[in-house]
């Protein structure tokens, strides 16, 4: 049996059959500074509650997979300086050795599936990095979407990545990439990119029905729902492009590699935008949380029908 510990709120939701939405924790420990990270995590949880579902923030502490963090555990995680960043490869080691670890998209999907949670909201997924033909840096998030049955709501992938290559790998892996309510692939800080999304759906009910149909077909893996950032929070791609180029050059010059690359680039974008990337980041995570809550409710409704 996996070492799962459910928070009181999640335990009650499971008993009542209430819709649950998983949330990752790397965004808390490696994505934003304290105390904004804690405020963001609390706000996003409240958004899910207000939208009629129950949040389950996932992290590793004391040899347990925590499904839902109470106030004390959430505060503890947000202040842990040396939390590990855990992907599929790291999860078992962190549990076996009692470390505090934050889950990436890949690890959160694994833990959510173990807990029977089918919908997960995040900011952006990992993907194929620029220059991957040299570095081979392709996030384990992509493989996870191919094998673990969780619908992930993100704002697309960040322009720090190579978006065309990320789409190609997702296609190869058989992952449905579904733009929500528009034809173009959202690009995280920007609503639109110049890439057409492979698939488009317009309602939470359609997304829930597709999730259930994939299971009926016996096809493994999840769905990636790409939800555009709210218009008022958008940062234009033109403003960001030179900053991204500079951040990537710095990462190369400093020999940043492996799992340090994404946190390094996000931190540099935060610095170079003089903090303007942070409110945008928070706005899009909240928007994804609300959509995920609607999808979780639609799944419940479809199952009863
Ligand atoms: N992309 C973002 N924000 C994030 C991450 C990715 O826009 O916080 C985090 C997520 O937890 C994601 C992880 O799963 O980084 C991917 O890391 P890597 O590229 O090392 O696989
Ligand atoms: Mn990587």
């Amino acid at each position: 049996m996996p070492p799962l510990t459910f928070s009181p709120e999640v335990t009650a939701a499971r008993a009542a059959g209430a819709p649950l939405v998983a949330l990752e924790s790397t965004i808390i420990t490696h994505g934003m500074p304290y105390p904004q990270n804690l405020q963001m995590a609390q706000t996003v949880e409240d958004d899910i509650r207000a939208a009629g579902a129950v949040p389950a923030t996932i992290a590793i502490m004391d040899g347990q997979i925590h499904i839902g963090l109470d106030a004390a555990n959430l505060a503890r995680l947000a202040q842990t300086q040396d939390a590990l960043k855990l992907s599929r490869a790291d999860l078992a080691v962190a549990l076996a050795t009692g470390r505090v670890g934050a889950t990436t998209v890949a690890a959160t999907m694994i833990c959510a599936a173990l807990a029977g949670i089918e919908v997960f909201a995040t900011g952006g997924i990992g993907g194929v990095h620029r220059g991957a033909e040299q570095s081979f840096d392709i996030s384990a998030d992509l493989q996870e979407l191919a094998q673990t049955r969780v619908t992930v709501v993100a704002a697309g992938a960040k322009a720090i990545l190579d978006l065309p290559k990320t789409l190609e790998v997702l296609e190869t892996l058989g992952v449905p990439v579904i733009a929500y309510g528009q034809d173009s692939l959202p690009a995280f800080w920007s609503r639109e990119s110049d890439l057409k999304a492979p698939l488009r759906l317009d309602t939470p009910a359609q997304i829930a029905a597709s999730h259930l149909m994939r299971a009926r077909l016996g096809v493994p893996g999840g769905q990636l729902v790409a939800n555009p950032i709210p218009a008022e929070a958008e940062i234009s791609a033109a403003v960001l492009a030179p900053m991204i180029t500079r951040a990537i050059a710095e990462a190369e010059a400093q020999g940043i590699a492996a799992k340090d690359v994404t946190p390094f680039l996000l931190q540099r974008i935060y610095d170079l935008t003089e903090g303007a990337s942070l409110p945008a980041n928070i706005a899009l995570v909240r928007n994804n949380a609300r959509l995920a809550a609607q999808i979780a409710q639609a799944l419940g409704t479809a199952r009863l029908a």
Side-chain angles (χ1 to χ4, degrees), residues 129 137 139 258:
H129 281 263
D137 190 350
S139 176

Side-chain angles (χ1 to χ4, degrees), residues 24-28 30-32 85-87 103-108 120 122-127 129 137-141 156-158 160-161 188-189 258-263 266 281 284:
E24 65 151 301
S25 44
T26 297
I27 192 171
I28 300 173
H30 291 70
M32 295 179 191
K85 174 185 162 187
L86 307 176
S87 192
T103 51
T104 60
V105 168
T108 305
F120 161 26
T122 183
I125 62 159
H129 281 263
D137 190 350
I138 301 176
S139 176
D141 292 351
K158 280 208 174 97
I160 58 172
L161 301 170
F188 202 82
W189 288 299
K259 60 172 65 187
D260 296 334
V261 173
T262 297
L266 300 185
N281 211 336
L284 66 85

Side-chain angles (χ1 to χ4, degrees), residues 19-219:
L20 281 155
V21 173
L23 294 165
E24 65 151 301
S25 44
T26 297
I27 192 171
I28 300 173
T29 56
H30 291 70
M32 295 179 191
Y34 181 83
Q36 287 97 330
N37 61 349
L38 178 58
Q39 278 163 15
M40 181 275 307
Q42 289 164 336
T43 304
V44 171
E45 289 197 350
D46 284 340
D47 288 329
I48 290 174
R49 294 182 187 106
V54 175
T57 301
I58 294 179
I60 307 306
M61 295 182 195
D62 310 315
Q64 292 288 311
I65 301 173
H66 287 264
I67 308 291
L69 298 179
D70 62 18
N73 276 335
L74 194 59
R76 177 180 162 201
L77 181 75
Q79 292 173 81
T80 300
Q81 292 296 328
D82 60 346
L84 300 174
K85 174 185 162 187
L86 307 176
S87 192
R88 166 175 278 260
D90 319 296
L91 207 46
V93 168
L95 283 164
T97 55
R99 293 289 307 267
V100 174
T103 51
T104 60
V105 168
T108 305
M109 289 179 75
I110 294 170
C111 297
L114 288 171
I117 301 175
E118 295 169 280
V119 184
F120 161 26
T122 183
I125 62 159
V128 181
H129 281 263
R130 298 192 196 176
E133 61 274 26
Q134 294 293 327
S135 66
F136 277 47
D137 190 350
I138 301 176
S139 176
D141 292 351
L142 303 184
Q143 290 272 7
E144 205 60 50
L145 281 159
Q147 55 185 309
T148 301
R149 199 183 301 291
V150 174
T151 286
V152 179
V153 183
K158 280 208 174 97
I160 58 172
L161 301 170
D162 186 322
L163 294 184
K165 285 196 183 75
T166 300
L167 278 185
E168 290 293 349
V169 169
L170 286 166
E171 182 185 70
T172 301
L173 292 171
V175 176
V177 178
I178 301 163
Y180 182 61
Q182 67 180 33
D183 292 326
S184 104
L185 183 75
F188 202 82
W189 288 299
S190 316
R191 286 179 67 80
E192 308 261 348
S193 67
D194 48 15
L195 298 166
K196 188 175 184 300
L199 297 162
R200 167 182 175 158
L201 293 174
D202 293 295
T203 66
Q206 290 174 338
I207 296 167
S210 300
H211 177 101
L212 293 171
M213 183 59 73
R214 196 168 168 102
R216 281 174 67 188
L217 298 177
V219 178

